[in-house]
Amino acid sequence: MRIILFTGKGGVGKTTTASATALRLADRGLKTLLLSTDIAHSLADALDVPLTGEPTEVAPSLWAVQIDTQGRFEAAWRDVQGFLIDMLARGGVDPITADELTVLPGVDEVLALLAVRELALAGNWDALVVDCAPTAETLRLLALPEALSWYLQKVFPAHRRLARGMRPLATLMGRGEVIPPDSLFEALLRLNDELGGVQKLLGDPEVTTVRLVLTPEAVVAAEARRTFTALALYGYSVDLVVANRVFPSDDQDEWRAGWARAQAKQLTGIRESFVGLSVRELPFWGAEPVGTDALRSVAAALYPSDEDPAQIAAPKRLMGVETVTTGPHTEHVLRMPLPLAERAGVAVARAGDDLVVTVGTNRRVLALPTMLRRCDVVSGDFDGRELTVRFRARDGGDGDGERLSG
Ligand SMILES: Nc1ncnc2c1ncn2[C@@H]1O[C@H](COP(=O)(O)OP(=O)(O)OP(=O)(O)O)[C@@H](O)[C@H]1O
Ligand SMILES: [Mg+2]
């Protein structure tokens, strides 16, 4: 089975490209499920068909589903929610407001993530195409399994022991409600298990790859670069960049030709930033590409006819960060393979929150993750195959436990 995630800044064309890709896979005979982790359901609009919480066949071999996270929240997390509502109610908040308050930001996305796994395991699909929420939420989502398991392993056992020890005393004092009940801990452990499963599925580069959608504009491209770095650092594999809404370069109209020139300049920068990755352009259509016919044209522009859209070569390992402790110092070592680079032609410089790596005439500007931004570069080395940059935390702080792998 293959899972392909589409993400990018708001409005760049994630839903359109995800739907077009799913349609293409289905047309090639793969049993494909198209779903969205974005709670602003727009798959139905792009496909121009009504959808429900159950997979609906929308074209031969293609099913689409609108995940109903509200229903799932009720079913799976009554324990957690019940406890929170109870706490808030005791604190004087009326039950209806409390109910709303416990639909925490991100909860829908988390549940959608769990649903992805459930659907992946249940339906013997050949391919799952996921239309993700805009970048920030997607990254929070993809970093969550690791963050939560860290919390549960490090903080939780102590917290739970403490809670067990205190409960009899608190009950005696009539304050038993301040201690989280065991059912809550159990619900959290279950969540942790399920998220661990999600991470195993999405972190496996043989199964899951991410496709970044952008438009050739400076602000959008900058966000895509940061996303790319973050995804690589978190260990997710990116196999395609889609540059959407590209203006034709032979336009007679001066205003549109001006835009085309500006886009061409951005596209050059984008190709430099994503060197090693396939960057494909999609033209600006004369009308919204809505419905299966229009989406098939989008797919035809995106994937050559002899290509399997599920199999696009992803660069092996884009980048990794390892934390090492030498004596009193904690150092973070960033390693990045640089295929075909000449030793003499490599330079590394820090520019604000970016690391600028120059290889011959190619330059790659990597947005540094927060943890490394708070560090100084102590050394940079290139052995002919791999670039190694050592970072050291400024006076003692080692970055608030943000963990990286990849
Ligand atoms: N190449 C294109 N040419 C013309 N219109 C396009 C193109 N790609 C997408 N659109 C249109 O632009 C709008 C936004 O596209 P889409 O919904 O795919 O973006 P999105 O990234 O999913 O947005 P959101 O972040 O809101 O979910 C839609 O109306 C879509 O039909
Ligand atoms: Mg969308």
Side-chain angles (χ1 to χ4, degrees), residues 1 3 5 33-39 41 52-55 65-73 75-77 106-125 128-131 141 144-145 190-191 193-199 201-202:
M1 197 208 10
I3 301 178
L5 310 178
L33 179 66
L34 173 63
L35 67 153
S36 177
T37 63
D38 190 349
I39 50 166
H41 295 301
T52 67
E54 289 300 315
V65 64
Q66 203 157 267
I67 296 167
D68 174 15
T69 50
Q70 197 53 48
R72 277 164 193 280
F73 193 73
W77 302 106
V107 160
D108 281 319
E109 285 94 342
V110 172
L111 295 166
L113 198 56
L114 296 177
V116 170
R117 173 167 172 261
E118 229 171 78
L119 287 162
L121 298 179
N124 65 66
W125 308 101
L128 232 72
V129 178
V130 187
D131 170 29
L141 202 69
L144 184 95
R190 208 164 67 229
L191 175 64
D193 277 357
E194 288 177 18
L195 286 175
V198 171
Q199 193 177 28
L201 201 62
L202 299 188

Side-chain angles (χ1 to χ4, degrees), residues 10-24:
V12 293
K14 299 177 291 294
T15 303
T16 303
T17 46
S19 308
T21 303
L23 203 52
R24 181 75 156 198

Side-chain angles (χ1 to χ4, degrees), residues 6 17 211-215 240-244 278 280 282 302:
F6 283 83
T17 46
R211 297 189 177 166
L212 281 177
V213 187
L214 52 80
T215 51
L240 184 68
V241 175
V242 180
N244 190 19
S278 186
R280 300 203 181 154
L282 269 181
L302 195 52

